[in-house]
Amino acid sequence: MKYYAIKSPKIKKIVTIWGECLALTRGVKGVLFKSFTNLKEAENWLEGVSQVAPQGLRVYVDGSFSPDFAYSGWGFVVVENDKEIDRGGGITEFPAESRNIDGELAASIKGLEWLKQNQRTGTICHDYEGIARWAKGEWKAKSPVALKYIEEVKPLLGKNSFEKVEAHSGHKWNELVDKLAKEAIQKAKKEKLGSALSDGSTGQMLLGI
């Protein structure tokens, strides 16, 4: 049996039927939900009770995309024994071919580069499955962005590992990198628009509108 914990500013509820969970969450702004196989874990998540924090070095990564901007945003945060020790964020080098996926993959590369530069080994924690699948050769790459990722990730793998985390589940580090990726886009929008205005050109061209 699965338990679906649902929380929003208005409700806190646990249901056991997926259809009921869907009916309570679809189209609802600010709602979070997560599935569990254990009722106690669902209750703890609902009440904000933390599970035992994972130990070791972990790099949380995420990407973002905005329809009114040509590039994807990326963000990463380095966590050791559940304490932040570094972070980074920015936009992709080239316009996005696959919306937020470009940012997700860029964040993974940036995180692995951090590990290599600092001579550390850790776990890349991601919510987009392709980050690990392509890196480990479990998915066959077809798109240009995936092919580029495979080429760049191979020399960075070393003994590093990957771990999938659930997106938009209230996980504090995953939520933080999602925020960093979004903020990178907003910052780049302002900078590129300011540059366009100072050059006497239109911001629309640079923003990919």
Side-chain angles (χ1 to χ4, degrees), residues 16 33 46-47 62 76 99 150-151 167 169 189 193 198:
T16 57
F33 63 95
L46 203 60
E47 298 304 321
D62 206 0
F76 75 84
R99 297 174 67 86
I150 289 175
E151 180 183 352
S169 61
K189 279 184 182 181
L193 180 58
S198 66

Side-chain angles (χ1 to χ4, degrees), residues 3-4 8 21 25 46 48-49 78-79 101 105 109 118 128 134 139 142 147 154 158 167 170:
Y3 299 89
Y4 301 97
S8 74
C21 175
T25 58
L46 203 60
V49 178
V78 184
V79 177
I101 292 176
L105 301 180
I109 293 296
N118 289 274
Y128 176 60
W134 278 319
W139 281 4
K142 296 180 180 179
L147 290 167
K154 281 183 179 179

Side-chain angles (χ1 to χ4, degrees), residues 2-4 6 13-26 33 35:
K2 280 193 174 183
Y3 299 89
Y4 301 97
I6 305 163
K13 189 172 185 177
I14 296 174
V15 299
T16 57
I17 301 171
W18 168 242
E20 187 176 355
C21 175
L22 200 60
L24 290 168
T25 58
R26 179 180 287 170
F33 63 95
S35 66

